[in-house]
Amino acid sequence: MINFQYLRTSSAKSAIALLLKDKNAKFLAGGTNLIDLMKRGVTAPEKLIDINHVPLKQIEQVGSKIHIGALATNTAVAEHALIKEKLPLLSWALQAGASAQLRNVATVGGNMMQRTRCGYFYDTEMPCNKRQPGSGCGAMEGFNRMHAIFGTSEKCIAVHPSDMCVALAALDAEVVLANHKGERKIAFRDFHRLAGDTPQLDNNLKTDEMIIRLEIPVSNLAKNYHYLKVRDRASYAFALVSVAAAFELNNNKITDVRLAMGGVAHKPWRLTASEDFLKGKEASLSNFEKAAELAMKGAKGFGENNFKLKLAPNTIIEALNLAKSKA
Amino acid sequence: MEKRMLKEDTDRVDGILKVTGRAKYFAEYELPGLTYGVLVTSTITKGKITALDTKAAENAPGVIAVVSHLNKPSAAAYEQEGGPQMKIFYTDKIFYNGQPIAMVVANTFERATHAASLVKATYAKEEFNTDFAKALKDPKAKKLQGQADYKRGIENAYKTAEVKLEERYFLPIETHNPMELHGMIADWRPNNQVTVYAKTQGVKSTQGTIANVFKIPPENIQVNSEFVGGGFGMALRTWPLEIATVMASKHIGKPVKVVITRAQMFTMVGNRPAAIQTIGLGADKDGKLTGITHRAYGETSTYENFTEGVVNMAKFMYQCDNVNTSYAIVPVDLGVPIWMRGPGEATGAFALESAIDEMAHALDMDPLDFRIKNDPETDQQKNKPFSSKNIKEAYKIGAEKIGWSNRKNKPGSLVEGQWQTGYGVSVGVFNANRGKASVKGILKADGSLLLQSATSDIGPGTGTGMTLIAHKLMKIPVDKITFELGDSSLPPAPSQGGSATLSTVGSAVNDVCEALKSTISELAIHSGMDPTANFVEVLKKNNLPAIEVTKESHSGKERDNYSMYSFSIHFVQVKVHALTGVVKVSKIVSVGDSGTIVSPKTARSQMLGGAVGGIGMALTEEAVIDHRYGRYINNNFADYHVPVNADVPEIDVNFINKPDPYINPMGAKGMGEIALIGFSAAVANAVFNATGKRIRSLPITPDKVLG
């Protein structure tokens, strides 16, 4: 038997204290990905710290920000009146992910921490630098239809599978992290990492840290928004490409705009060049097309995923079109 | 009972049991002393096992035995020369990646699972090829004849036709993957008495296979398989893993349960093999077909050949004097395929029915008109009349219901924003089979009727259909009729496959009921009663608790005189997104032409299931292999995409419901296969109509639509 210790705690402080004692421990929240990984032999934590009873499920407005506790479920966030009203892009993105059953137990923190769905990562008989650094990348010259076109490294071309995180990157969310010494706050866009030389690391969470909450500024992006997810079936499939688009319009002029893509990189892929271009411009198809073109700078296909070089800009254009038509 | 009280339809007789969890599937049987087997599989694709280290597994807690080729648990037939190449646990040869090489048996499933991970194999690897397309191009690769070449009239006549086309079509590997995982519980007891709880489409077939492998009398083997959680063809044979389960039980003298994993469902229980097909069509300018050529290559394994009816349809579906077909199978280093719903015909229909649509387009004809124009009056292949065929009526019904008149012949004509709308049609056809089966009927003085046959129900509602046949003949209320199946000790019936059960077993039910009726009538006369007297009174008067009749039933000479097929027409409307390439099936109308509909509700369910399977075949399903390793990449339900509810629109099911005068006493023809056959082509044709893009490679995913 692969034995592991199971612990349960009901406060963030004690959870962090338990984590500090054993660097091979892992937090267990919804378990929708972690348990799969354990069953497949991809990961074998010596200690599971069940944090489901830690009171971090709040969804509330604090000043000009909306706070979402790390243990709020995906469903609770997606269906919360405050989120639907003020951050509908986030609600839409969440509902595009997984299945209703999974969303009911999957948490916000767990969603951020989920691993790639690359088939080579999950098959322990295959090479994978993310699972076993130095073993090679199976996908690079293999089945890479689902894989990254941006920010890839020679070591890994996996994508981060989350929909929620794409919206959070677009919405300039911040993440509050804590260890035994105290809290720190980082931009959500800096939470996940590119693969680089360390594909085994998905994010910048330190081994002694815990995700506490998200803080998302309330903005005027609740009117013209869309989360467009292109996938192989209508539900319960990871994105081939997804786009979170939102903008603020003033006399058909774009005064603020956010664009991020999923299914294209090792992290949610914010499209700053496209945003910069669109700011102050008219919300027109030709400008959308130009923004999409700018977004593709540096994109690179690996064979089976070459179609994303066409699908990605098309999806950006359509997401912007649909965001505009919401008015 | 008055005739007006007769029910034309009923709910599924075991529906309540199924939805309340009381229906017991094979894995749910608890036997005293039950142990759990978990299979260890090869991690190379071809070669030999040079060493198998089972020590750690044997020493792991709870482990009772590790069985493999090292200890060769006794199986008489495997101890002899010859027989199958891949004799499980009797060979050190590896034929494919994921082949079972050992089984760990332990006192809990979890312990067996863990111990299985401790078995370490060392291999001598050999070069391999799992890439079917590559094998086809390799002049050195074996290409075996799968079916005799067929020729009527001039070979390749399409080449000299006024209008001609020649196109290639590709179908990837698809897997059956029913919700219920495969496996078996085997209980080998002293004196070579064996009981198994199986997931099988044929209890008699499972019994026969076990008898052959272990060389014990079939009577010693009791096979139970009352409920099956989906088969789609994968449970039509007794797989090596099942033989292994029986071996293990014999070896340890305890019952053993094996339930394979979802990933193992991709490698141990067959699949729909990949196929590459070429269709050549020729027509005159008026739209009469002058030549049909259908050449197909199907995938098979290196250790066993598998063939199916890929090119059957081309031989008779359309009026054409010049037809030739060929079909070869090409071995690759993968597990052996098996029939999957609609089997080869569904593969063939994708190509043929796409090509027919392409030809209609080349002729600038409505594809429906083109089909009607080339609809044959007789079967030119068999040179016989069809026993019944109402295709033209079916076309008419379907066209009206889908709104075919809204279709524009010019592709890409119906555009709304980024969405393009298209309509497609396709025909499905499958042999209307009738085999030989026996049924026992026990008519009881309490007013009930018990019918028994060793047939199966993998989901179509066998018991429901049989109950309705008996209900109509005997005029006994549906809830007083019980149909027992899935038990090898019952009167023999063939496996449930090839859409034959209702026709085959239903005929025996018919004959049993007729015999019971005449026995009752004779008894009535004998005891001075009216010959039409109620059977309860007749039995009571004669002091009989019950009467019993067993009948064997099979078809007669009519099969020599007529060509018997079931037909279906699938109409679909699709919406295709111009920017993202997403295809949504927005409307489905299926019309079944399969004789009398005996059980309307379950028949409709068959058509619904076929359409959903058809959406999968057309748009989402593809088992992907990394040919560098010979391993499946998407061997789970997150990555192997079967349609979800959101992919399925409302499905309008229609039946012609006219009896076939020759097939059997009910006039009913099978319909499990036709529900799926042709559907994928209807979608491909609709995508073409929507976009002008002809996609000849399934599944039609967004990348292909955009490409």
Side-chain angles (χ1 to χ4, degrees):
Chain A
M1 284 296 158
I2 301 172
N3 288 315
F4 61 89
Q5 210 181 348
Y6 171 86
L7 302 162
R8 191 157 63 188
T9 179
S10 55
S11 81
K13 204 177 159 192
S14 68
I16 291 164
L18 287 168
L19 186 65
L20 192 63
K21 274 199 240 163
D22 186 349
K23 296 279 159 61
N24 281 324
K26 275 196 162 44
F27 288 137
L28 174 70
T32 58
N33 189 208
L34 179 60
I35 304 296
D36 280 353
L37 292 164
M38 290 170 71
K39 282 183 175 177
R40 295 288 298 264
V42 177
T43 187
E46 289 164 12
K47 196 185 277 182
L48 281 185
I49 305 165
D50 185 338
I51 51 171
N52 283 294
H53 294 270
V54 176
L56 287 174
K57 296 183 180 174
Q58 78 280 17
I59 302 167
E60 62 193 2
Q61 184 156 357
V62 180
S64 62
K65 287 181 177 176
I66 289 172
H67 288 195
I68 300 173
L71 289 163
T73 66
N74 287 194
T75 299
V77 178
E79 292 182 357
H80 200 282
L82 188 64
I83 305 298
K84 280 176 152 175
E85 188 202 331
K86 304 215 163 142
L87 303 170
L89 181 67
L90 176 59
S91 176
W92 275 47
L94 275 163
Q95 301 213 35
S99 65
Q101 293 90 336
L102 288 166
R103 293 194 296 269
N104 283 343
V105 287
T107 63
V108 164
N111 191 319
M112 291 163 63
M113 295 300 292
Q114 67 179 309
R115 311 297 311 265
T116 184
R117 306 296 161 146
C118 173
Y120 298 90
F121 177 68
Y122 283 80
D123 185 344
T124 53
E125 295 300 331
M126 296 273 205
C128 173
N129 286 326
K130 182 180 277 296
R131 188 187 65 244
Q132 199 185 335
S135 63
C137 172
M140 195 76 74
E141 285 166 14
F143 181 68
N144 52 41
R145 183 169 174 270
M146 301 299 290
H147 289 71
I149 54 172
F150 289 112
T152 52
S153 82
E154 281 169 17
K155 301 240 162 98
C156 180
I157 57 171
V159 296
H160 193 259
S162 170
D163 292 296
M164 178 193 82
C165 294
V166 179
L168 289 170
L171 290 167
D172 279 344
E174 293 173 302
V175 193
V176 176
L177 308 169
N179 67 7
H180 59 288
K181 289 180 197 152
E183 289 189 351
R184 68 175 176 130
K185 201 190 276 189
I186 61 169
F188 188 88
R189 311 158 55 164
D190 299 329
F191 181 80
H192 294 99
R193 300 164 58 103
L194 287 180
D197 283 335
T198 52
Q200 68 275 22
L201 300 178
D202 295 347
N203 54 58
N204 292 313
L205 185 78
K206 295 188 179 133
T207 52
D208 63 352
E209 281 181 322
M210 179 178 184
I211 304 169
I212 301 297
R213 69 177 174 276
L214 294 168
E215 296 185 5
I216 311 160
V218 177
S219 51
N220 291 321
L221 298 165
K223 204 166 157 196
N224 290 104
Y225 66 90
H226 197 85
Y227 186 77
L228 181 59
K229 183 177 183 182
V230 181
R231 45 184 153 176
D232 285 325
R233 62 179 167 192
S235 174
Y236 193 49
F238 294 100
L240 296 168
V241 167
S242 69
V243 172
F247 48 76
E248 193 185 345
L249 274 185
N250 196 346
N251 285 331
N252 206 37
K253 276 251 162 64
I254 297 171
T255 52
D256 189 9
V257 59
R258 307 295 172 77
L259 276 171
M261 264 198 282
V264 294
H266 198 259
K267 60 183 284 188
W269 196 247
R270 182 86 179 252
L271 309 177
T272 41
S274 306
E275 291 177 1
D276 291 345
F277 168 78
L278 284 171
K279 257 174 224 161
K281 301 261 179 12
E282 210 176 302
S284 67
L285 181 60
S286 61
N287 281 333
F288 294 167
E289 284 169 350
K290 179 77 183 151
E293 196 188 314
L294 285 170
M296 296 309 291
K297 206 179 157 210
K300 181 185 166 200
F302 291 85
E304 303 228 14
N305 70 348
N306 287 353
F307 73 96
K308 290 190 180 183
L309 301 176
K310 185 172 178 186
L311 178 61
N314 281 5
T315 309
I316 295 168
I317 295 165
E318 183 64 351
L320 287 165
N321 278 338
L322 292 166
K324 185 188 169 188
S325 67
K326 276 232 174 64
Chain B
M1 201 200 304
E2 295 289 323
K3 191 172 174 15
R4 64 186 157 78
M5 288 172 69
L6 280 177
K7 282 187 170 183
E8 287 300 319
D9 200 0
T10 183
D11 289 340
R12 204 172 271 265
V13 293
D14 48 11
I16 302 275
L17 288 179
K18 285 186 172 173
V19 298
T20 54
R22 280 180 287 153
K24 216 169 174 182
Y25 294 82
F26 88 87
E28 299 179 297
Y29 284 85
E30 285 298 331
L31 273 59
L34 187 61
T35 65
Y36 302 82
V38 168
L39 289 157
V40 181
T41 59
S42 74
T43 54
I44 67 155
T45 303
K46 194 176 179 183
K48 255 193 173 123
I49 307 169
T50 52
L52 195 68
D53 182 359
T54 60
K55 276 241 157 55
E58 278 157 7
N59 292 333
V63 171
I64 297 158
V66 180
V67 290
S68 72
H69 71 286
L70 296 180
N71 50 17
K72 287 189 175 64
S74 155
Y78 284 4
E79 285 149 27
Q80 299 169 345
E81 294 285 308
Q85 275 203 66
M86 211 268 274
K87 295 175 178 171
I88 190 161
F89 302 159
Y90 274 73
T91 180
D92 56 1
K93 272 180 88 171
I94 300 300
F95 298 94
Y96 68 92
N97 213 313
Q99 177 184 321
I101 56 170
M103 184 194 286
V104 176
V105 185
N107 59 1
T108 73
F109 170 69
E110 290 76 12
R111 285 174 156 176
T113 300
H114 174 65
S117 75
L118 303 176
V119 175
K120 296 291 170 228
T122 314
Y123 305 96
K125 290 186 195 175
E126 288 171 33
E127 288 219 355
F128 62 88
N129 177 40
T130 55
D131 187 345
F132 173 59
K134 188 174 146 198
L136 265 184
K137 284 183 213 138
D138 180 359
K140 283 180 293 178
K142 271 194 219 166
K143 295 176 185 72
L144 312 162
Q145 189 172 59
Q147 194 183 71
D149 287 355
Y150 172 81
K151 193 175 86 171
R152 174 166 84 233
I154 303 159
E155 190 169 343
N156 297 334
Y158 74 94
K159 288 188 172 171
T160 54
E162 286 178 351
V163 183
K164 64 182 173 188
L165 64 82
E166 185 189 304
E167 296 295 351
R168 274 187 122 201
Y169 302 86
F170 177 74
L171 184 92
I173 292 174
E174 292 170 4
T175 62
H176 308 68
N177 263 308
M179 194 69 88
E180 183 191 32
L181 297 165
H182 204 67
M184 178 178 267
I185 295 176
D187 183 16
W188 190 295
R189 298 182 305 280
N191 307 319
N192 294 336
Q193 297 291 319
V194 185
T195 299
V196 301
Y197 297 87
K199 172 189 172 75
T200 177
Q201 295 179 227
V203 285
K204 297 302 284 186
S205 156
T206 301
Q207 183 189 48
T209 305
I210 295 171
N212 285 338
V213 173
F214 294 92
K215 297 216 179 284
I216 56 172
E219 315 75 89
N220 285 23
I221 304 158
Q222 171 63 35
V223 180
N224 301 308
S225 184
E226 190 182 358
F227 293 98
V228 175
F232 310 117
M234 58 143 284
L236 276 168
R237 68 177 285 178
T238 306
W239 293 100
L241 77 97
E242 294 165 88
I243 297 300
T245 311
V246 179
M247 273 183 186
S249 175
K250 186 179 181 190
H251 184 69
I252 67 167
K254 283 180 178 163
V256 176
K257 170 156 82 174
V258 170
V259 179
I260 64 173
T261 64
R262 184 57 67 189
Q264 290 173 343
M265 290 288 281
F266 284 74
T267 53
M268 291 191 192
V269 288
N271 52 44
R272 187 195 298 282
I276 292 177
Q277 307 174 68
T278 306
I279 303 270
L281 290 183
D284 64 24
K285 282 185 176 139
D286 296 331
K288 289 294 281 183
L289 279 166
T290 57
I292 301 174
T293 298
H294 188 170
R295 298 191 185 283
Y297 293 95
E299 193 169 55
T300 189
S301 74
T302 57
Y303 59 92
E304 202 178 316
N305 293 336
F306 173 78
T307 63
E308 53 184 356
V310 179
V311 296
N312 287 353
M313 186 173 172
K315 298 171 189 169
F316 65 88
M317 194 62 222
Y318 294 101
Q319 184 76 30
C320 187
D321 293 338
N322 305 304
V323 177
N324 61 297
T325 70
S326 68
Y327 169 56
I329 52 171
V330 183
V332 292
D333 296 305
L334 290 170
V336 69
I338 195 168
W339 304 282
M340 178 164 157
R341 195 175 190 179
E345 283 77 354
T347 302
F350 165 62
L352 181 65
E353 287 298 290
S354 292
I356 290 285
D357 197 75
E358 295 193 59
M359 179 52 93
H361 180 73
L363 291 160
D364 197 24
M365 279 179 81
D366 181 317
L368 198 51
D369 294 342
F370 180 61
R371 282 182 172 81
I372 291 167
K373 185 154 193 163
N374 291 286
D375 185 48
E377 288 306 316
T378 59
D379 180 336
Q380 284 183 291
Q381 180 198 0
K382 293 180 185 153
N383 202 17
K384 288 173 192 171
F386 290 105
S387 57
S388 67
K389 175 165 167 278
N390 304 288
I391 284 268
K392 284 175 185 152
E393 189 184 338
Y395 281 138
K396 208 174 151 222
I397 293 169
E400 204 179 296
K401 295 226 171 181
I402 196 85
W404 192 255
S405 58
N406 296 322
R407 179 186 178 276
K408 306 282 181 230
N409 219 29
K410 187 169 177 285
S413 298
L414 299 173
V415 181
E416 208 178 313
Q418 296 293 347
W419 291 98
Q420 305 164 293
T421 299
Y423 293 84
V425 64
S426 168
V427 184
V429 62
F430 196 78
N431 193 17
N433 291 309
R434 179 178 168 189
K436 186 168 81 177
S438 296
V439 168
K440 182 195 275 187
I442 304 165
L443 195 57
K444 297 179 187 166
D446 64 3
S448 69
L449 171 63
L450 174 63
L451 297 162
Q452 297 175 318
S453 181
T455 182
S456 306
D457 183 8
I458 56 168
T462 308
T464 311
M466 301 306 156
T467 298
L468 280 167
I469 291 170
H471 167 68
K472 281 176 197 165
L473 287 168
M474 303 296 291
K475 303 183 174 55
I476 298 172
V478 165
D479 59 6
K480 291 268 184 193
I481 302 171
T482 305
F483 186 86
E484 289 180 353
L485 49 64
D487 173 341
S488 61
S489 68
L490 301 178
S495 295
Q496 183 159 58
S499 302
T501 303
L502 190 101
S503 177
T504 304
V505 183
S507 298
V509 168
N510 177 88
D511 293 359
V512 160
C513 290
E514 294 293 0
L516 286 169
K517 274 163 72 178
S518 63
T519 307
I520 289 292
S521 169
E522 279 164 32
L523 272 174
I525 295 167
H526 192 71
S527 48
M529 298 170 78
D530 186 309
T532 62
N534 183 290
F535 73 88
V536 174
E537 281 148 39
V538 177
L539 290 176
K540 279 184 180 157
K541 176 119 183 198
N542 287 276
N543 276 328
L544 288 167
I547 54 166
E548 188 182 302
V549 170
T550 300
K551 280 272 173 195
E552 183 184 271
S553 180
H554 54 82
S555 55
K557 279 219 172 318
E558 62 279 1
R559 287 203 85 86
D560 302 334
N561 301 328
Y562 293 94
S563 164
M564 298 182 177
Y565 286 99
S566 288
F567 303 91
S568 62
I569 319 286
H570 307 288
F571 285 89
V572 301
Q573 182 199 59
V574 301
K575 301 213 183 276
V576 184
H577 197 278
L579 283 175
T580 62
V582 166
V583 177
K584 281 179 127 14
V585 178
S586 44
K587 209 170 169 183
I588 297 172
V589 178
S590 284
V591 188
D593 177 19
S594 56
T596 304
I597 298 303
V598 166
S599 171
K601 196 169 183 178
T602 54
R604 180 170 178 274
S605 293
Q606 281 271 58
M607 294 296 274
L608 296 181
V612 175
I615 294 174
M617 188 174 178
L619 298 181
T620 62
E621 291 186 51
E622 176 175 15
V624 180
I625 295 160
D626 186 326
H627 298 302
R628 298 170 302 169
Y629 305 97
R631 287 177 76 80
Y632 283 90
I633 294 293
N634 61 342
N635 53 1
N636 60 77
F637 271 167
D639 297 320
Y640 182 90
H641 296 140
V642 294
V644 295
N645 280 326
D647 293 304
V648 183
E650 194 179 326
I651 302 165
D652 183 351
V653 176
N654 304 268
F655 294 110
I656 298 293
N657 199 9
K658 284 183 185 163
D660 183 302
Y662 306 106
I663 179 115
N664 54 38
M666 297 82 66
K669 300 191 278 193
M671 45 168 300
E673 321 297 334
I674 56 156
L676 179 88
I677 296 169
F679 193 93
S680 58
V683 175
N685 297 342
V687 168
F688 174 76
N689 184 240
T691 64
K693 270 190 190 135
R694 174 60 62 178
I695 295 167
R696 301 185 185 90
S697 165
L698 294 180
I700 303 171
T701 43
D703 45 322
K704 291 180 189 164
V705 178
L706 279 185

